[in-house]
Amino acid sequence: MTNSAFPLTRRALIGATAALGACPATLLARTAGGLIAGTYANENGPGLVPLTRGRQGWSAGAPVATIRNASFGVRSAATGVRYLLDEQSRGMLGVYTDGLDKLAAASTLGADPCHAALSADGRRLAVANYSSGSVALFALDRAGRPMGEARLLQHEGSGPDRARQAGPHAHWVGFTAGGSQLHAVDLGADAVFLHRLGAGGAVDTSIAYRTEAGAGPRHLARHPRLPIAYLVTELANTVTVLRAHADGRFTALATLSTLPRDFRGASAGAHIAVNAAGTRLYISNRGHDSIAVFAIQRDGRLALLQHAGCGGHWPRLFLLREADGELLVANERSGNIARLPLGRDGRLGAAAKGVALPGVVFLSA
């Protein structure tokens, strides 16, 4: 199913707003043990917002108005350094301490960066530039700062949906455990690209997997133990179980819908995550406004368990917090962070509307 009924060209809507800026060191005290939420300025988002949890649940603190359009970010477990993306036509990467003091800024060499990944050794950072259909590959020093300008890896390709797939649109990046392979999911090209990273900066690019034409792949998640990955498509609303090969290629084992069989409206697959035990898979459906929950079988294949209401409209990204028995959902268009109870069996309970936050698109510890 395609999604022509929905105005999904969100990156074209991101206006020229304040770039990632410096932040007060006092934010460290406000985010310690809490979360951060990124918002879109054109949707009345106030900036980067610290979230704290109390007896009455989660609450929003004072926003950092100088950090705008932070649609995604990653944090180094080794150094605590945070890498936040500024999703605009001239994409920027902001590098911060764990307390959000600014360390550096660098161009992503493309438009509308929307996803990032760190290599396991913390010495490389990859960024997906959506509108440019490219990947920026940064070399990092031991302190986690970029060493000069990024290397640009340009995708090529298109798909049959001319409104969404006129050219390549990189949407997700991820390194293999050894760090010598970088995968990039491209919605516009209907492909998962494989960038093999060799000695001396050499990069060999090929196709690791090609989806059905018009499927519009968006995000990928790896199983924690099995040589299996799961690919969610935005335009076709499906999840494909992939066999991961040592050479970086994927082959499909099965494809399932992320939507109920009787649903006939427009929807778009979004975020995907696997639990720590590798027994449950979660996918957000924008339009149907649900979280699809799948049981992961011993061989990695999937069986649908439930569709849980997301507690709002347009669930862009969610945060699986198993230790606290909850799943938090960034509902972009309804402007709220809903909380869904997470049972021991991996099923989700009824959503509470939670924190009101206009334009919320990103959540992170």
Side-chain angles (χ1 to χ4, degrees):
M1 181 191 305
T2 59
N3 312 289
S4 58
F6 281 80
L8 290 178
T9 55
R10 63 178 178 82
R11 286 151 186 98
L13 296 175
I14 304 299
T17 58
L20 291 170
C23 307
T26 54
L27 189 61
L28 176 61
R30 287 184 282 161
T31 58
L35 304 173
I36 56 174
T39 64
Y40 277 156
N42 74 299
E43 296 178 17
N44 298 315
L48 194 75
V49 178
L51 303 173
T52 55
R53 187 178 185 182
R55 293 182 179 180
Q56 303 302 316
W58 288 97
S59 60
V64 183
T66 52
I67 301 184
R68 312 301 297 272
N69 299 317
S71 62
F72 198 80
V74 291
R75 176 185 177 276
S76 169
T79 65
V81 172
R82 293 182 183 272
Y83 304 88
L84 297 176
L85 303 181
D86 187 7
E87 188 179 334
Q88 298 191 76
S89 58
R90 293 183 178 180
M92 292 293 294
L93 169 72
V95 184
Y96 299 87
T97 67
D98 205 9
L100 295 178
D101 289 314
K102 189 174 183 180
L103 297 174
S107 171
T108 67
L109 306 180
D112 303 314
C114 62
H115 195 266
L118 276 167
S119 61
D121 63 3
R123 301 305 298 272
R124 284 174 168 150
L125 177 80
V127 175
N129 291 310
Y130 178 86
S131 294
S132 302
S134 62
V135 173
L137 183 60
F138 292 89
L140 305 176
D141 64 20
R142 294 187 180 278
R145 299 171 189 252
M147 298 194 302
E149 189 175 74
R151 175 163 185 175
L152 189 67
L153 309 177
Q154 181 64 52
H155 293 176
E156 301 292 339
S158 60
D161 187 333
R162 304 313 296 170
R164 300 297 314 283
Q165 298 182 304
H169 294 306
H171 217 316
W172 180 95
V173 284
F175 292 91
T176 55
S180 63
Q181 298 173 354
L182 172 66
H183 288 104
V185 177
D186 197 295
L187 184 150
D190 281 329
V192 180
F193 286 86
L194 169 62
H195 303 291
R196 293 187 175 92
L197 310 178
V203 179
D204 176 66
T205 298
S206 60
I207 300 294
Y209 178 74
R210 191 174 294 282
T211 69
E212 180 181 352
R218 179 182 172 95
H219 279 195
L220 184 146
R222 299 181 187 277
H223 193 279
R225 295 184 312 278
L226 301 174
I228 295 290
Y230 304 97
L231 180 67
V232 63
T233 62
E234 179 169 328
L235 305 184
N237 296 282
T238 61
V239 57
T240 298
V241 182
L242 300 173
R243 173 74 65 184
H245 300 283
D247 64 0
R249 294 179 301 108
F250 297 107
T251 53
L253 299 178
T255 298
L256 295 80
S257 175
T258 67
L259 299 169
R261 291 182 179 179
D262 58 353
F263 181 73
R264 295 294 180 266
S267 195
H271 190 53
I272 184 170
V274 179
N275 69 349
T279 58
R280 297 290 183 266
L281 178 76
Y282 302 85
I283 295 173
S284 57
N285 293 308
R286 298 172 297 173
H288 184 251
D289 291 341
S290 66
I291 305 297
V293 184
F294 294 86
I296 301 177
Q297 311 299 326
R298 291 184 178 181
D299 62 357
R301 294 176 186 264
L302 301 174
L304 180 66
L305 283 181
Q306 70 172 141
H307 286 94
C310 70
H313 180 37
W314 215 250
R316 166 71 179 274
L317 183 144
F318 58 84
L319 198 58
L320 186 63
R321 293 171 47 81
E322 295 181 72
D324 291 310
E326 63 183 6
L327 185 142
L328 302 179
V329 185
N331 289 309
E332 180 181 353
R333 294 187 179 175
S334 57
N336 71 298
I337 303 171
R339 180 187 182 275
L340 281 69
L342 177 65
R344 292 184 178 180
D345 61 355
R347 292 177 180 268
L348 298 172
K353 186 175 182 179
V355 179
L357 187 58
V360 61
V361 292
F362 168 61
L363 298 170
S364 178

